[in-house]
Amino acid sequence: MTAPAPSYEVRALAGLPEIAPGDDLARLIADAAPDLRDGDVLLVTSKIVSKAEGRIVAADSREAAIDAETVRVVARRGTLRIVENRQGLVMAAAGVDASNTAAGTVLLLPEDPDASARALRAGLARLLSVDVGVIVTDTFGRPWRNGLTDVAIGAAGVRVLDDLRGGTDAHGNPLTATVTATADELAAAGDLVKGKATGCPVAVVRGLGHVLGEGAGRDLVRAPADDMFRLGTSEAVREAVTQRRTVRAFTDEPVDPGAVRRAVAAAVTAPAPHHTTPWRFVLLESEAARTKLLDAMRDAWIADLERDGKSAESIAKRIRRGDVLRRAPYLVVPCLVTDGAHHYGHARRDAAEREMFVVAMGAGVQNFLVALAGERLGSAWVSSTMFCRDVVREVLGLPADWDPMGAVAVGHAAGAPAERPAREASAFIEVR
C-alpha cells in the first residue's frame, strides 16, 4: 500500500483584539484558539509581542531610534541602513517600525525574542495543556534577492535547523552541507495566510509535529567568523583599513598563495608617477628560500653591528627583536623599480622625482597590507631588507635596479592584536 503524501495545514488565527502594553498574549491566543493540539506550531508576528511587552517608545525621529538600537552598521546607501541590532540580527533599520503604531511613537523588536517565545509556549501549556512550538517572526529583506519574507527571530519548542549532513539524497549522494532553516520556512508559510494588513498576526501550522524539539532563534544567526558577507562593500574596505594591525606572532597554519596573489593584484592598483608601475613583489613560499635570505641578512646585520662597536649581548638582543620574519610562515619582499622616472640633471629635482616613486611604493604596500587583512591574514612590514639591499638582491637573484623596500611577514595571527590607542582624526587635520 502506498504511503500518503506528506501534507500540512496552515491557517491564520482570527479573533485577536488590538494588542496593548501589559496584555496577556498567551491568554488572548488561547481564547482565540481553544482547539490547539499537541504538535501545532504558532507563528506570532513580532509586532504584537513588542506591543504586549511595552516596546513602544516615543521618538521624535525614527532615525534616532535606529541609532539607539544599532550595534554595528553593516552597509549604508543613502538613508537606508542595514545594521546589526541589539538582538544580534542583521536587518534594515534595526527592526524599528513606525507603522501600526501611534503617530510620534515607534515599535522596537522584543528585547529577547527567544525569551518571548518561551513565555508564550509556557503560557499556552498552562492554559490549554498542550505541547506546541512557538516562533516569533519578523519581515526581512535578503541579500541577492528582491522582495521581503518572514523569518524566525525567536523560537521555543521547535528545531529551528534540520541538519541533514551525513545523510544521502534520493540518489545516494552524500549530503555534506545541507542544513535546512526549518523555522524560517515555517515563518514564510505563515506569512502567506497572515499577510501584512489583514489584522491576523498569528498563524497555526498543523501536521508537522516532527519539527518540535529544542531550538532558539539565535541558532539561525550565523557566527561572525563564518559570515563571508558581514559587511557592505564600502564598510568592508573601511574596516580592513581601520582594523589592520601589525602582527608579530603567527600560527603554523599555512598561507594560501592565492590570497597573497590577490593582495598583490590590489597593491598594483595604487597611484604612481608618469603612469609607471614601480612595484615588484618577491614571494618567498619555500622555507628554504626564507631561511637562506634571513640567514644572509642576519650575518650582514651582525657584521654591521660589530663594526659599530656593539657588544655581543646588545647584538644578540637586536637579533632576537628582528625574529618576527623567522616566525612567519610566508615572506614577501616588495621592491621598487624606477623605470620611467624622469632625469633632470638637477640634484633637488632628481631627489624629488625619486621621492614620488617611494611614495607610490608606500601606497602599493599599504594596498597590499589592507588586502591581506581583507583575506583575514596578519602581516608585519619590517624595514630590514632596506639596510642590506645588495645581500638581498644577491641571495634572491634580483636585478640590480630592484630596490628591496623591507619585508612583509604574512600568516594567520596567533591571537587578537593589541588594541590601538584611539586616534581622533581632528588631531591630524589642518584646514586653511
Side-chain angles (χ1 to χ4, degrees):
M1 183 176 178
T2 303
S7 65
Y8 69 94
E9 168 194 334
V10 57
R11 61 185 175 88
L13 187 62
L16 283 173
E18 180 68 26
I19 306 301
D23 281 349
D24 184 344
L25 193 53
R27 168 68 68 182
L28 294 174
I29 292 174
D31 289 345
D35 61 337
L36 284 177
R37 303 177 190 171
D38 289 345
D40 286 349
V41 179
L42 269 80
L43 309 167
V44 184
T45 301
S46 62
K47 287 182 179 60
I48 66 169
V49 177
S50 295
K51 288 180 178 180
E53 294 178 354
R55 297 281 287 167
I56 305 171
V57 297
D60 295 331
S61 163
R62 182 176 180 236
E63 295 304 308
I66 295 170
D67 289 341
E69 292 298 301
T70 294
V71 172
R72 176 177 63 90
V73 175
V74 174
R76 184 193 302 267
R77 182 171 296 173
T79 59
L80 175 63
R81 280 182 283 173
I82 307 297
V83 306
E84 179 183 345
N85 65 12
R86 295 178 182 276
Q87 291 81 5
L89 301 169
V90 174
M91 60 192 310
V96 175
D97 195 349
S99 63
N100 296 305
T101 186
T105 66
V106 294
L107 200 56
L108 310 182
L109 289 178
E111 189 167 357
D112 184 344
D114 285 324
S116 301
R118 290 194 298 270
L120 275 173
R121 183 174 185 241
L124 292 167
R126 183 182 69 254
L127 294 166
L128 298 177
S129 299
V130 290
D131 180 16
V132 298
V134 174
I135 295 175
V136 177
T137 72
D138 199 66
T139 303
F140 270 49
R142 299 150 300 155
W144 314 296
R145 306 285 289 178
N146 287 322
L148 304 172
T149 186
D150 265 22
V151 302
I153 64 170
V158 176
R159 290 185 293 107
V160 298
L161 294 168
D162 190 8
D163 191 345
L164 302 177
R165 292 172 296 182
T168 58
D169 64 17
H171 297 280
N173 300 309
L175 298 173
T176 59
T178 304
V179 181
T180 302
T182 304
D184 282 348
E185 292 182 328
L186 289 166
D191 194 45
L192 291 173
V193 295
K194 287 190 298 177
K196 301 301 180 191
T198 60
C200 296
V202 178
V204 179
V205 175
R206 180 162 293 167
L208 295 178
H210 64 278
V211 305
L212 266 62
E214 294 298 318
R218 282 194 172 271
D219 298 339
L220 292 158
V221 178
R222 195 182 297 276
D226 299 328
D227 189 351
M228 295 176 66
F229 308 100
R230 185 166 168 76
L231 294 169
T233 303
S234 61
E235 290 75 18
V237 171
R238 186 159 52 250
E239 179 166 280
V241 172
T242 59
Q243 296 304 312
R244 188 208 63 77
R245 297 286 191 278
T246 295
V247 174
R248 299 184 182 277
F250 302 95
T251 69
D252 294 331
E253 183 179 351
V255 171
D256 174 16
V260 178
R261 284 162 173 77
R262 289 191 292 273
V264 171
V268 299
T269 65
H274 315 313
H275 306 290
T276 58
T277 54
W279 319 277
R280 303 292 185 271
F281 291 84
V282 184
L283 311 183
L284 278 64
E285 297 185 337
S286 73
E287 184 176 358
R290 294 192 296 273
T291 300
K292 183 179 180 181
L293 174 65
L294 295 176
D295 285 351
M297 288 171 57
R298 179 197 58 202
D299 293 344
W301 194 11
I302 290 174
D304 280 348
L305 292 171
E306 288 176 341
R307 281 193 294 271
D308 291 342
K310 301 297 183 183
S311 67
E313 181 182 358
S314 173
I315 291 173
K317 185 176 181 180
R318 290 166 185 261
I319 294 298
R320 285 195 301 272
R321 201 160 54 227
D323 271 352
V324 61
L325 296 179
R326 289 190 183 273
R327 294 192 293 269
Y330 197 110
L331 289 183
V332 178
V333 178
C335 296
L336 171 67
V337 298
T338 55
D339 292 347
H342 294 176
H343 299 285
Y344 301 97
H346 185 288
R348 179 176 58 80
R349 294 179 70 183
D350 284 343
E353 180 77 5
R354 178 171 173 81
E355 284 182 8
M356 288 196 301
F357 278 80
V358 172
V359 169
M361 188 71 210
V365 174
Q366 172 70 354
N367 276 13
F368 181 65
L369 300 177
V370 169
L372 289 175
E375 297 278 355
R376 297 298 187 260
L377 288 169
S379 63
W381 187 14
V382 181
S383 62
S384 51
T385 68
M386 300 172 68
F387 295 92
C388 53
R389 284 176 170 147
D390 289 343
V391 171
V392 176
R393 280 191 287 259
E394 180 181 353
V395 171
L396 298 181
L398 303 180
D401 61 347
W402 285 30
D403 281 346
M405 302 295 284
V408 180
V410 182
H412 296 273
E419 284 296 317
R420 179 186 291 136
R423 295 173 183 173
E424 288 293 333
S426 59
F428 303 89
I429 295 172
E430 293 289 337
V431 179
R432 296 291 187 267

